[in-house]
Amino acid sequence: MREDYFAFTEKLFASQEAADKPEALKGIRVLDLSHMIFGPTAARVLAQYGAEVIKVELPYTGDYWRSSTYWGKYWKHSNPLWHFINHSKYFVAIDVKEKQGLELILRLAEQSDVVIENFSPGTVEAWGIGYSSLRKKNPKIVYASCSTFGQYGPYRFMPGWDLLAQGASGMLSATGYPGTEKYFKVPDFYGDFCPGIYAAMMILMGLNYRERTGKGQFMDICQAEILMRALPHFSYFCDKGEEIGTTGSQDPSMSPSGIYKTRDDAFIAVAIASDEQYAGLCQAMGEPRLAEDLRFAKALDRLQKENAREISRKTAEWVAGQTTGTIMALAEQHRFPAAPVCDDLMISEDAWRQERGNVVEYDDTMYGRLKLERGTVRLSETPGRIKWLTRPLGYHNRYIFKTLLGLHEDQIQALEAARVVGYWDYRVGQRPPVYYDIDNDPIFNYRDETHG
């Protein structure tokens, strides 16, 4: 029966069949007015599961994240992280500060189900595309304003980024090692990605409410508050009158736990929650009597600070004498929790992730092959997917303006001449790859019989 179950689930979630299944959010249109990482991540999650996401940028400037990257490293004239954050979207470039540009955005909003923005609080309101304006034209709109400190309150005008959200949420104070005054930033913009995924979940709640009532709503989605929800430290302090404190790589609810260096110069994470798991670790270490030592035999005793330090030291000594492969084999044999600390190369080549479709090598018509993550969660009937990588600034102008707004070719050309709408300049991140024949691209040069 167990084997039948695993064969059943493997077939149910088969990656090769995903493209033939329907999309959960097909028919939902999202107007993505956001920039950088926080808001665009929320929009990208919705796009992965079928929403039609139209990302609006400023002509000839674009989202600043287009030209940003880690350590000045680019890929095919683009920021590889830009593809990770913004794939599967439509890209139009409209100047909202021009009267005709404002009108275009308002018309797109009238035909949308969701609007996402993450400018400084009050900015889009001043531009005339805030919630108070759009709800008059589209009362059913689900409008998500994403910011670091919220749309009201004493810090609403403070500029914000991932690092500031980590600080204000209490996250940074939980990093580092006991006895030091050094804290570290949780890397790779966790303070943007985690709240972005959370924001997508909140938007789905808003859509569900609208489905039942016919009413839209305004969402104040605050980075620092979302991160705080993952850190119950203040509740612990109120209850116990003391801080949890910094714990380094140790899980303060499990012992032994930590990140340990192996004989082959790799690292491995071990986290022992139950007495049965601890007994398994002792067997693997060749020291079964440690499971009977009164300092360590019970989970509560192992959490006493002196005992925790001692059993962690013994675990570190044992791990230092073993290879990663040996430890993982023993973990499987003796049923204790362990996992290798994976780096980027390991993740991109890991057979487990590829078998589950977590990491896919997507072959894009413009950029070629790039490894990306697929939908965050496996859905058996409506799996997530990648439709295309990102596109140059303004790439979908003609397609969106003609199919959604009914503009004719001469009208678009007039808007281009007035610089109300536009495209890229030659800066990296905005333009197409130099080898790509953009002049013969059927979407960029979109024609139809009705609108030319």
Side-chain angles (χ1 to χ4, degrees):
M1 181 63 185
R2 186 180 178 208
E3 290 182 1
D4 289 344
Y5 169 75
F6 293 128
F8 166 72
T9 54
E10 185 175 357
K11 185 177 188 305
L12 202 60
F13 297 106
S15 300
Q16 60 270 25
E17 297 179 11
D20 298 324
K21 294 182 177 181
E23 296 175 292
L25 298 179
K26 186 175 180 61
I28 296 296
R29 181 173 294 135
V30 178
L31 190 59
D32 181 8
L33 304 178
S34 64
H35 63 142
M36 299 302 284
I37 302 175
F38 179 16
T41 294
R44 184 257 298 164
V45 172
L46 300 176
Q48 279 183 297
Y49 289 93
E52 180 187 81
V53 176
I54 302 171
K55 182 173 175 61
V56 180
E57 301 173 77
L58 185 66
Y60 311 106
T61 300
D63 189 322
Y64 290 138
W65 191 242
R66 278 185 176 272
S67 299
S68 301
T69 190
Y70 285 172
W71 312 123
K73 302 293 184 182
Y74 293 96
W75 177 75
K76 297 184 179 180
H77 299 235
S78 68
N79 171 5
L81 298 173
W82 171 260
H83 294 288
F84 179 88
I85 296 165
N86 287 292
H87 66 75
S88 305
K89 299 180 182 181
Y90 294 93
F91 297 88
V92 299
I94 305 171
D95 190 346
V96 68
K97 296 180 182 177
E98 297 287 342
K99 181 181 179 181
Q100 290 174 293
L102 172 61
E103 291 173 354
L104 290 175
I105 294 176
L106 290 174
R107 288 179 63 189
L108 288 172
E110 283 185 85
Q111 299 182 55
S112 297
D113 301 283
V114 176
V115 171
I116 301 173
E117 67 87 14
N118 66 340
F119 289 90
S120 297
T123 300
V124 292
E125 191 70 24
W127 288 342
I129 52 175
Y131 178 66
S132 68
S133 298
L134 295 193
R135 70 173 177 174
K136 295 174 184 176
K137 294 181 173 294
N138 185 353
K140 293 185 177 182
I141 198 75
V142 175
Y143 197 109
S145 285
C146 305
S147 65
T148 299
F149 299 108
Q151 299 300 305
Y152 62 93
Y155 300 132
R156 63 189 181 278
F157 296 127
M158 293 287 289
W161 301 105
D162 158 57
L163 181 59
L164 304 185
Q166 290 192 30
S169 69
M171 176 176 285
L172 293 183
S173 69
T175 66
Y177 285 82
T180 72
E181 293 184 348
K182 293 183 178 180
Y183 303 105
F184 60 85
K185 174 185 178 296
V186 179
D188 282 349
F189 307 111
Y190 181 86
D192 287 311
F193 287 119
C194 175
I197 295 170
Y198 198 100
M201 179 176 66
M202 295 297 103
I203 289 167
L204 293 177
M205 290 184 183
L207 289 171
N208 181 64
Y209 176 77
R210 190 187 70 175
E211 179 71 18
R212 293 186 290 108
T213 67
K215 298 178 180 179
Q217 63 180 293
F218 184 46
M219 296 183 171
D220 180 2
I221 302 178
C222 173
Q223 269 179 293
E225 291 177 347
I226 290 171
L227 292 177
M228 188 183 79
R229 267 56 182 181
L231 297 163
H233 295 178
F234 70 96
S235 295
Y236 182 90
F237 181 85
C238 291
D239 182 40
K240 299 296 182 183
E242 62 181 27
E243 295 181 352
I244 293 177
T246 56
T247 57
S249 62
Q250 183 180 6
D251 183 329
S253 68
M254 300 183 188
S255 180
S257 65
I259 300 170
Y260 306 105
K261 191 172 184 178
T262 64
R263 194 178 78 194
D264 50 347
D265 289 328
F267 290 88
I268 199 160
V270 175
I272 305 299
S274 68
D275 297 338
E276 291 76 14
Q277 291 171 357
Y278 175 65
L281 174 64
C282 294
Q283 289 289 338
M285 293 169 62
E287 296 192 56
R289 285 182 295 179
L290 277 177
E292 301 171 2
D293 189 317
L294 294 181
R295 295 173 298 170
F296 314 126
K298 297 297 181 183
L300 188 60
D301 295 319
R302 291 195 300 277
L303 286 173
Q304 303 307 307
K305 290 185 177 179
E306 288 298 324
N307 297 344
R309 278 194 287 268
E310 178 62 15
I311 194 58
S312 183
R313 182 188 66 79
K314 289 179 179 292
T315 303
E317 289 178 353
W318 174 71
V319 169
Q322 312 295 321
T323 65
T324 303
T326 298
I327 295 170
M328 291 307 299
L330 289 169
E332 184 175 4
Q333 178 185 349
H334 295 287
R335 306 296 299 163
F336 67 87
V341 176
C342 297
D343 59 23
D344 294 346
L345 180 61
M346 293 168 67
I347 289 172
S348 66
E349 297 183 348
D350 182 49
W352 167 64
R353 289 178 174 84
Q354 292 183 18
E355 180 180 340
R356 283 181 51 81
N358 248 320
V359 173
V360 295
E361 188 172 46
Y362 184 77
D363 193 2
D364 183 69
T365 56
M366 180 178 289
Y367 289 96
R369 294 181 178 275
L370 181 66
K371 286 187 177 179
L372 291 173
E373 56 90 23
R374 208 180 67 181
T376 308
V377 177
R378 304 283 87 78
L379 301 180
S380 65
E381 301 305 315
T382 55
R385 67 204 65 184
I386 299 168
K387 300 181 185 70
W388 52 79
L389 298 185
T390 66
R391 290 294 182 259
L393 180 59
Y395 173 84
H396 290 104
N397 278 6
R398 276 179 167 75
Y399 178 78
I400 294 297
F401 296 158
K402 290 180 178 182
T403 59
L404 291 188
L405 302 184
L407 298 186
H408 292 269
E409 181 65 27
D410 58 346
Q411 293 174 298
I412 295 174
Q413 290 181 10
L415 291 169
E416 290 171 348
R419 297 179 72 85
V420 174
V421 305
Y423 304 93
W424 58 87
D425 62 16
Y426 201 64
R427 277 178 289 179
V428 67
Q430 293 189 20
R431 62 184 190 248
V434 292
Y435 60 77
Y436 188 74
D437 185 7
I438 194 70
D439 292 332
N440 290 309
D441 185 297
I443 299 298
F444 176 69
N445 302 286
Y446 185 75
R447 297 284 191 273
D448 64 34
E449 294 180 0
T450 307
H451 304 103

